[in-house]
């Protein structure tokens, strides 16, 4: 197994996340991403059963063959696989087929989020997260826990608590720029997250107002994100406080898709991202005397 605490990133990859084009099959996602100029894709091998999602099982034989053919034809990489959800009925062993396929395709991360219905199930979440990490380890895959603002884990501190308690070598935290905004996280808090937990960044923008209902946040997150630079998210500040990471553009916006089509929407996502923060780099460093993180001058 490779050292999961040291990614050795020389150049950040730009990946097209599946939620951006949720109606596309994994193979279609690969071809669209290649034509639009991406380096990688972040396919959903675990269906979410949300509105507009592609209808075919992504892990049935014909879909796997089509996905492998698309990757071989285009030369694109697979950055991560999506999305393992902790629910009240979750059996982490059900994630194994997606982990096996992800490992075979070279993915290094799996995204996980929590959707249980109570607020007193911390030990349950820790156990399910830790078990998933153990199942992912043989495939050299980290399990990156995110904190959608309308889920069970709503803040960066919530997610960090579970990851630290699980204490697994292939743990991770997924930072999503939209959820930083919706959860009112001060970007300075990113400096308190150990670098070994941070592997990639979910990218999208939004306007300054924060929806005051769960339904409003869900509608924004799943159907109305903006291209980087159209809103007010401080990408420069975020990237400077992250270690060097890869970028996965997760930007669902149905009106843009209807107006522009899949490929042009994907292309604009990438163009806006590179225009907005393509030259921004990490400024994190560890001090020699203390095990804390600061910004380089």
């Amino acid at each position: 197994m490779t050292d999961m605490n040291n990614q050795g990133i020389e150049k950040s990859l730009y990946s097209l996340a599946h939620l951006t084009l949720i109606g596309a099959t994994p193979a279609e996602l690969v071809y669209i991403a290649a034509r639009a100029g991406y380096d990688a894709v972040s396919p959903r091998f675990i269906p979410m059963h949300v509105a507009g999602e592609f209808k075919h099982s992504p892990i049935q034989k014909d879909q796997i063959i089509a996905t492998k053919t698309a990757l071989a034809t285009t030369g694109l990489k697979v950055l991560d696989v999506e999305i393992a959800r902790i629910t009240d009925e979750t059996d982490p062993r059900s994630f194994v087929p997606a982990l096996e396929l992800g490992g075979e395709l070279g993915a290094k991360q799996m995204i996980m989020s929590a959707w249980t219905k109570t607020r007193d199930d911390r030990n349950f979440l820790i156990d399910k997260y830790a078990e998933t990490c153990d199942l992912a380890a043989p495939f050299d895959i980290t399990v990156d826990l995110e904190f959608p603002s309308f889920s069970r884990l709503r803040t960066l501190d919530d997610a960090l608590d579970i990851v630290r308690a699980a204490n697994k070598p292939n743990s991770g935290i997924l930072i999503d720029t939209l959820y930083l905004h919706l959860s009112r996280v001060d970007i300075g808090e990113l400096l308190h997250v150990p670098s070994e937990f941070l592997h990639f960044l979910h990218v999208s923008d939004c306007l300054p107002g924060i929806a005051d209902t769960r339904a409003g946040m869900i509608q924004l997150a799943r159907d109305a994100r903006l291209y980087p630079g159209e809103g007010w998210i401080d990408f420069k500040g975020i990237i400077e406080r992250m270690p060097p990471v890869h970028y996965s553009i997760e930007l669902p916006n149905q009106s843009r898709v209807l107006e522009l089509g899949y490929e042009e929407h994907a292309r604009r996502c990438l163009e806006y991202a590179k225009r907005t923060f393509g030259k921004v780099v990490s400024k994190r460093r560890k001090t020699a005397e203390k095990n804390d993180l600061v910004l380089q001058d």
Side-chain angles (χ1 to χ4, degrees):
M1 182 180 294
T2 60
D3 181 0
M4 293 180 179
N5 293 334
N6 183 4
Q7 295 193 96
I9 291 176
E10 296 180 359
K11 176 185 176 183
S12 293
L13 301 177
Y14 285 85
S15 181
L16 179 59
H18 212 147
L19 186 60
T20 306
L21 304 177
I22 193 61
T25 66
E28 290 169 339
L29 185 76
V30 173
Y31 288 121
I32 293 167
R35 292 194 298 268
Y38 288 81
D39 307 299
V41 291
S42 300
R44 290 198 165 189
F45 290 148
I46 303 174
M48 293 280 291
H49 306 294
V50 297
E53 187 177 44
F54 59 94
K55 302 301 182 184
H56 306 288
S57 169
I59 57 173
Q60 67 187 36
K61 185 176 180 179
D62 62 334
Q63 290 296 315
I64 292 175
I65 292 173
T67 301
K68 289 181 176 179
T69 299
L71 290 167
T73 300
T74 62
L76 263 62
K77 300 178 183 295
V78 175
L79 178 63
D80 64 281
V81 294
E82 308 179 5
I83 179 174
R85 295 189 296 173
I86 303 175
T87 67
D88 296 321
E89 298 80 26
T90 290
D91 180 354
R93 291 174 295 183
S94 66
F95 306 142
V96 170
L99 286 166
E100 289 178 339
L101 180 56
E104 185 178 352
L105 298 179
K108 294 302 180 186
Q109 282 82 44
M110 170 181 272
I111 300 174
M112 173 165 265
S113 55
W115 301 89
T116 51
K117 297 181 175 65
T118 65
R119 303 295 296 176
D120 60 353
D121 59 351
R122 177 176 179 270
N123 289 339
F124 176 82
L125 297 179
I126 294 168
D127 289 345
K128 296 302 181 182
Y129 176 75
E131 183 178 350
T132 305
C133 287
D134 289 341
L135 292 168
F139 305 104
D140 201 13
I141 289 177
T142 66
V143 182
D144 291 44
L145 190 62
E146 66 171 340
F147 49 98
S149 309
F150 40 88
S151 70
R152 167 64 177 83
L153 302 173
R154 302 174 185 174
T155 69
L156 176 58
D157 285 342
D158 287 343
L160 266 174
D161 173 56
I162 301 301
V163 168
R164 283 177 165 145
N167 193 29
K168 296 294 180 177
N170 58 332
S171 294
I173 295 285
L174 173 58
I175 301 299
D176 184 304
T177 58
L178 178 64
Y179 298 141
L180 282 181
H181 166 69
L182 291 179
S183 296
R184 297 177 170 88
V185 176
D186 186 317
I187 61 173
E189 294 181 37
L190 294 173
L191 292 173
H192 302 298
V193 183
S195 292
E196 60 265 27
F197 287 168
L198 300 171
H199 307 117
F200 64 118
L201 180 70
H202 260 184
V203 173
S204 66
D205 208 345
C206 65
L207 296 175
I210 296 177
D212 58 4
T213 65
R214 185 173 188 272
M217 287 190 286
I218 291 174
Q219 192 277 332
L220 169 60
R222 294 182 179 170
D223 193 36
R225 304 193 193 198
L226 300 180
Y227 299 137
E230 287 190 310
W232 84 318
I233 288 178
D234 181 6
F235 292 101
K236 181 176 184 292
I238 292 170
I239 292 168
E240 287 180 345
R241 288 162 177 80
M242 296 276 289
V245 295
H246 300 305
Y247 305 125
S248 179
I249 300 179
E250 184 176 79
L251 210 156
N253 187 310
Q254 188 60 28
S255 63
R256 297 274 172 89
V257 169
L258 290 173
E259 176 189 359
L260 303 170
Y262 276 2
E263 187 173 330
E264 183 59 25
H265 175 56
R267 181 177 290 110
R268 292 193 186 192
C269 288
L270 181 61
E271 289 176 350
Y272 274 77
K274 289 187 173 181
R275 182 189 311 162
T276 302
F277 57 84
K279 295 182 180 180
V280 181
V281 296
S282 171
K283 290 189 175 182
R284 282 173 71 127
R285 65 176 174 85
K286 277 191 175 181
T287 62
E289 298 80 13
K290 300 179 183 178
N291 191 32
D292 59 351
L293 294 160
V294 297
L295 286 184
Q296 288 180 318
D297 295 331

